[in-house]
Each structure stands twice: as structure tokens, then as C-alpha cells.
Amino acid sequence: MDIHKKLRELEEENLLLGEKLVENFLHTVDVLSLIVEALERFYETSHSRFVANKSAELAEKLQLGPQEVFEVHTAALLHDIGKVALPEVINSKFIPEMSKEQYSLYKQHPELGRQMLLRHDGFERIARIVGEHHERIDGSGFPNNLRGEDIHPGAKIIAVVDTYHNVMFRRSKDRFSIGDSAPARYGANFLRDTEVRYGQIISHLRNKSNVLYNPKVVEAFIDMVEIERKQLGMAQIERVAINNLRPGMVLADSYYTTYGLLIASRGEKISDKMIATMMRLSDSNELPPRILILM
Ligand SMILES: [Fe+2]
Ligand SMILES: [Fe+2]
């Protein structure tokens, strides 16, 4: 028997098995993230996708390796998966509106998420990040009051992006998370109120840098959003036919299926997968033939 040939065959088999495992893993993440998105009707744009994309960008900016960036992205996509196990009445509320019992249940969602993900091989590090996304460096976070270096670097990144998105894009009747009042989403003063929210969240992050949040993460994140806001301020909106969409273009509006499932959020970069979904939906008249794009 040709031992070399046999070894080569084994090697190929292993490679194939490796690819299958990766494919399997990505498929699982995909299904889980759809479940998470179904919880997100309390946001104006996809919370999990925003937190995932920005956290991965931030992780790259902070020079984490490709494997770590991938883990941060996946953990951010699934960071609130534990909320699936909470009653809707809790998920629809802001923290100040919760009763004491509701708040203590709410504080279990990182641990619930961690345990859910640990049931699947290969999710160990991702599960840890998910379990720590509400920990804060001064030990005031939950569920375990971890401090500084005890918190996974990925969880410190998600903490900042998560807080930012909650303040900027969480739907509110007459209130948003940092305390002051804000009118409804489509009120006449919406643009000015977005500016107010933005000012508040940036000063919150600066004030709590090195208290709640890692200072390097805060600094890199503020840099990133300021650059993006400048670019958006200069951008113009154009209607682009679906078959002319290209990966990397930025959406100027959010798009939903007829059943209300979010396809893509305002401000999100278009991916190949998104284009394929949009083409399919436009064929069945579920989407307009032209999409609003920032140019
Ligand atoms: Fe959370
Ligand atoms: Fe969140």
C-alpha cells in the first residue's frame, strides 16, 4: 500500500471535514442571528448587525488578529440572544421603566446567552464574550461585577458600540436611555434630536472612559463615528436599480420584507448576500426596483 497516497487521502478528507465544520458553524450563526433579529422591533435599525459590523471594524482598528475579529463579530451578532428567553414585556421596556423583578430578570440575559451558545461546539470563546458584554471596567456591570483585565477585550468593544446604538437608535415613545426627553422618531425635530442624542452619547462615553469603558476603545470608536458622520454629511442620496447595486454601497433607508422582517438598515453597507436577497425579493415585487443609496 502506498502510505504517501493514503496520507494524502486522509489529509484531503480532514480538509473537507474542516470545511464542512466551518460551513456548519457559519450556518448555525446565520440561523441564530435571524432569531435575534426577530427580537429587534424595538429598534429603528438592526441592533445586532450594527453592533456586529462596528465592533468588528473597531477590533480591526485596535489591531486584534483575524480570528479575534471574527469572534468579536460573531459574539456581537449574538450578544443579546439570551433575551429570547425573557418575557416580551421586559424586552419592550427601557431599564428605568422596569420593576425590580423585571430588572433582575433582564440582568440574566448575558448569562442565558452564554449558556445557550455553550451547547454548541466551537462557541466557547464567543459564549464568554456574550456573557460579559454588560460587565464594566469599574466592576459596576453585571452579571458578575468583573473588573478591568478580567473582562474579555471583545466584550469591552461590544460594551461601547452596544451603548451607542441603544442611545441613537432604540425606539422611544417619549424617552431614551440616557434620561432626557426626546420626541417620537418621525417628529418634526427628528434631525435636531438625532444631533442631541449624538452629543449626549459622545459626552457619556468620554465622561465614563476609564470608569465604565476601556479608554482605548472609546477613543478609537469616537474617531470612527466622527469620520463617518463627516462622510455622511457630504453624501447625496441616489436611486440605484437593484441590478446595479454593488457590495460596499451604503443604504440611505431601511428595507423590510412584506412580513416586516428587516433586510437591511439605513447606514448599513451592502453585502453580496444582501444583493442576492434584494434581487429575489424584487422579482416577487416585495421591494421597489430602485433602492436609496448614499453616494
Ligand atoms: Fe445586552
Ligand atoms: Fe444589545
Side-chain angles (χ1 to χ4, degrees):
M1 167 177 139
D2 182 349
I3 189 79
H4 291 290
K5 191 170 167 236
K6 186 79 200 151
L7 270 176
R8 245 197 333 272
E9 273 172 21
L10 266 176
E11 237 171 55
E12 270 164 25
E13 215 172 281
N14 262 333
L15 218 61
L16 216 64
L17 207 66
E19 269 172 29
K20 268 242 147 21
L21 277 175
V22 171
E23 214 176 278
N24 218 326
F25 182 90
L26 294 177
H27 184 67
T28 306
V29 171
D30 220 28
V31 173
L32 293 176
S33 70
L34 279 177
I35 295 173
V36 173
E37 283 206 341
L39 280 173
E40 296 184 341
R41 56 194 167 280
F42 307 113
Y43 289 95
E44 289 164 12
T45 62
S46 168
H47 179 63
S48 51
R49 272 176 7 207
F50 180 95
V51 181
N53 293 336
K54 291 284 176 273
S55 298
E57 232 177 290
L58 202 50
E60 261 184 347
K61 215 174 157 187
L62 292 164
Q63 280 161 359
L64 270 68
Q67 173 72 20
E68 287 167 300
V69 173
F70 172 77
E71 284 167 6
V72 169
H73 184 266
T74 310
L77 206 52
L78 305 177
H79 73 277
D80 277 334
I81 195 164
K83 288 187 180 174
V84 171
L86 298 182
E88 165 138 343
V89 63
I90 296 182
N91 291 333
S92 68
K93 283 186 176 178
F94 287 102
I95 292 168
E97 298 168 338
M98 292 177 194
S99 68
K100 226 175 139 196
E101 292 72 31
Q102 287 173 337
Y103 184 53
S104 68
L105 264 176
Y106 164 82
K107 287 205 290 185
Q108 292 175 18
H109 80 267
E111 177 58 19
L112 284 166
R114 189 183 76 88
Q115 286 178 14
M116 284 175 185
L117 296 176
L118 273 182
R119 300 222 179 157
H120 197 292
D121 280 348
F123 276 81
E124 295 76 10
R125 282 195 298 270
I126 291 162
R128 179 179 162 199
I129 302 176
V130 167
E132 296 177 7
H133 78 273
H134 281 284
E135 299 290 356
R136 299 294 181 254
I137 63 171
D138 64 351
S140 66
F142 58 86
N144 294 314
N145 305 102
L146 297 181
R147 286 173 174 272
E149 291 307 300
D150 295 336
I151 307 170
H152 190 287
K156 291 178 192 162
I157 292 177
I158 295 173
V160 170
V161 185
D162 185 29
T163 308
Y164 175 86
H165 190 265
N166 275 324
V167 172
M168 291 298 290
F169 300 107
R170 174 98 197 220
R171 276 185 208 282
S172 59
K173 293 175 275 283
D174 52 8
R175 173 139 44 122
F176 56 99
S177 14
I178 286 192
D180 287 354
S181 62
R185 159 78 172 81
Y186 291 108
N189 297 324
F190 173 66
L191 274 181
R192 203 201 64 216
D193 297 321
T194 306
E195 284 306 305
V196 173
R197 289 191 213 196
Y198 183 75
Q200 285 191 332
I201 180 61
I202 296 299
S203 62
H204 167 78
L205 292 174
R206 284 207 172 108
N207 290 339
K208 300 294 180 191
S209 173
N210 220 5
V211 182
L212 301 180
Y213 312 109
N214 176 288
K216 282 198 187 119
V217 175
V218 170
E219 198 191 323
F221 180 72
I222 293 179
D223 269 8
M224 206 168 91
V225 287
E226 302 253 272
I227 292 171
E228 265 184 29
R229 275 171 69 87
K230 277 192 197 121
Q231 285 168 347
L232 282 183
M234 293 184 293
Q236 291 187 350
I237 296 175
E238 275 183 31
R239 283 178 194 278
V240 176
I242 289 190
N243 46 15
N244 288 333
L245 291 176
R246 296 286 168 266
M249 287 180 168
V250 178
L251 289 160
D253 202 358
S254 299
Y255 290 92
Y256 298 85
T257 66
T258 29
Y259 291 99
L261 284 174
L262 182 76
I263 306 159
S265 299
R266 181 164 50 95
E268 195 170 1
K269 276 195 189 128
I270 299 185
S271 64
D272 279 322
K273 208 167 123 195
M274 229 180 252
I275 296 177
T277 309
M278 287 182 143
M279 282 186 154
R280 210 178 52 239
L281 290 170
S282 141
D283 283 347
S284 54
N285 290 327
E286 284 201 60
L287 271 183
R290 288 174 182 273
I291 296 292
L292 297 176
I293 294 292
L294 289 172
M295 292 294 208

